[in-house]
Amino acid sequence: MSKKDFNRFVEQASKEKKSKNIDWEKRREEWIHNLDEFYNKINSFLTSFIEKGKISIEFKDIELNEEHIGTYETKSATILIGNHTIRLRPIGTTLIAAKGRVDMTGAYGKVKFVLVPESADKPQVKTMINTEDMSGKASEEKDNGNETSDWVWKIATSPPAIRYLPLDEESFMDAVMEVTNADSEDSDG
């Protein structure tokens, strides 16, 4: 790569930065709000088990650091079921194809929860080639393309053919069983 190529890259990157007027503080606040909604939803799925003392959930303050947003405080959760420990850890909001992600890990695996448009059934990444003679309106439409969508939490299946499954009580319980390997344990009926 020549200095001329590098200079062109720097110029283009500078223009892109100026054209994207993303309110990162607002994005962080929305993300924290979405995380709270996620934890409330999970808690509602497990309420009857918590009330009976069969499951407990512990929340812990953690720090995340994301490009553009910086370092901020949020929380992770640990679900305790007998000898099983399941952790829910937020990954962040500056992601490709999702507005946020939380990973659930157990001794036997990981399940990814993603915040995506309600209509999404798989990852969708839009690519746009921007030339200097394109109007500012075209760039604006790209940046705000999903702003009117309703964002919901879904479960992302494993690659390569990633699909989004609705997050409901049954799918969450299936995910817990997956990461604890409970679905392969013998039961007496």
Side-chain angles (χ1 to χ4, degrees):
M1 171 173 34
S2 69
K3 187 171 182 177
K4 182 179 176 181
D5 292 333
F6 183 76
N7 194 27
R8 190 177 316 125
F9 161 74
V10 170
E11 287 298 318
Q12 183 62 32
S14 297
K15 287 178 188 176
E16 287 173 4
K17 183 176 182 179
K18 291 175 187 172
S19 70
K20 292 184 179 181
N21 294 322
I22 298 172
D23 184 345
W24 291 108
E25 186 172 326
K26 181 181 175 190
R27 177 93 177 249
R28 182 188 71 229
E29 294 305 317
E30 287 174 353
W31 166 233
I32 291 169
H33 174 75
N34 288 321
L35 276 173
D36 288 340
E37 287 181 343
F38 173 78
Y39 288 130
N40 288 337
K41 180 177 263 199
I42 299 310
N43 199 51
S44 74
F45 296 157
L46 302 175
T47 297
S48 65
F49 298 99
I50 293 168
E51 289 173 351
K52 293 176 186 172
K54 299 194 179 277
I55 292 178
S56 65
I57 300 179
E58 299 170 355
F59 293 95
K60 177 181 167 186
D61 290 335
I62 62 168
E63 276 190 359
L64 290 182
N65 187 348
E66 295 189 74
E67 187 175 0
H68 303 294
I69 292 179
T71 301
Y72 61 96
E73 193 169 288
T74 188
K75 59 186 172 185
S76 65
T78 302
I79 302 171
L80 303 168
I81 307 173
N83 292 327
H84 298 284
T85 301
I86 299 104
R87 289 184 172 56
L88 293 165
R89 179 163 175 84
I91 300 303
T93 186
T94 54
L95 305 168
I96 296 172
K99 196 171 182 178
R101 189 176 108 204
V102 174
D103 287 356
M104 178 169 68
T105 56
Y108 295 94
K110 180 192 302 187
V111 171
K112 296 176 183 177
F113 299 95
V114 291
L115 186 61
V116 295
E118 188 172 21
S119 61
D121 62 353
K122 63 183 178 181
Q124 296 176 352
V125 180
K126 295 179 182 176
T127 305
M128 182 174 162
I129 298 172
N130 196 358
T131 63
E132 290 182 28
D133 62 345
M134 290 181 75
S135 71
K137 185 178 178 187
S139 293
E140 203 173 296
E141 288 171 1
K142 175 192 157 243
D143 290 341
N144 296 323
N146 284 328
E147 293 305 314
T148 59
S149 295
D150 288 327
W151 296 92
V152 296
W153 287 98
K154 294 190 178 189
I155 297 173
T157 63
S158 299
I162 299 171
R163 305 298 291 172
Y164 296 148
L165 307 174
L167 174 60
D168 56 26
E169 185 174 34
E170 185 177 339
S171 64
F172 179 76
M173 291 178 182
D174 286 344
V176 168
M177 292 177 65
E178 180 181 330
V179 300
T180 60
N181 207 27
D183 54 353
S184 67
E185 292 178 7
D186 293 333
S187 67
D188 294 299

